[in-house]
Every structure is written in C-alpha cells, then in structure tokens.
Amino acid sequence: MRNEKITPLYEHLSRDNELQGESNSISNQKQMLEDFARPGFLAIMEEVEAGRVEAIVIKDMS
C-alpha cells in the first residue's frame, strides 16, 4: 500500500454568485491556486518526458 498524499485545489463560489456564473472572486482564487500548484505540474511533465509515466487521467470541465 502506498502512502502518497495529495494536495487538492478548492475554490468556493458563494451562493450569492451562483446564478451569475463565474465571478471575479472565483477566477482570482483559481489563478492563485494554479500559480501555487504550477511547480507540481511541471514536475509531472518532467516525469512524462523522462518516460516514467504510463498515463495521466484528467477530467475536462468544458
């Protein structure tokens, strides 16, 4: 059994903004989280380029 830990990224959209679509607040939260997480993404890509990754599983929200 592997004892790996993950770091999920979580943004919160208040109920007041729910009906108006994505607010500037949620956009700013996403940008801040992505900026923070980007070094991890680059590390994953280095593993891919080195041939040590068999698959990357993603969910496209579009």
Side-chain angles (χ1 to χ4, degrees), residues 29-50:
Q29 289 178 49
K30 280 183 178 181
Q31 186 62 53
M32 288 171 56
L33 290 169
E34 288 170 1
D35 289 346
F36 178 79
R38 189 162 289 127
F41 174 77
L42 294 176
I44 289 171
M45 293 312 297
E46 287 176 14
E47 295 294 319
V48 169
E49 291 171 358

Side-chain angles (χ1 to χ4, degrees), residues 1-56:
M1 181 180 207
R2 295 163 74 174
N3 258 348
E4 295 181 12
K5 296 186 180 195
I6 65 168
T7 304
L9 302 180
Y10 172 77
E11 308 95 30
H12 174 73
L13 182 62
S14 74
R15 289 255 187 228
D16 294 338
N17 293 332
E18 212 169 45
L19 299 176
Q20 299 172 14
E22 191 170 288
S23 69
N24 285 334
S25 174
I26 199 80
S27 296
N28 290 335
Q29 289 178 49
K30 280 183 178 181
Q31 186 62 53
M32 288 171 56
L33 290 169
E34 288 170 1
D35 289 346
F36 178 79
R38 189 162 289 127
F41 174 77
L42 294 176
I44 289 171
M45 293 312 297
E46 287 176 14
E47 295 294 319
V48 169
E49 291 171 358
R52 292 187 288 264
V53 174
E54 183 174 335
I56 297 176

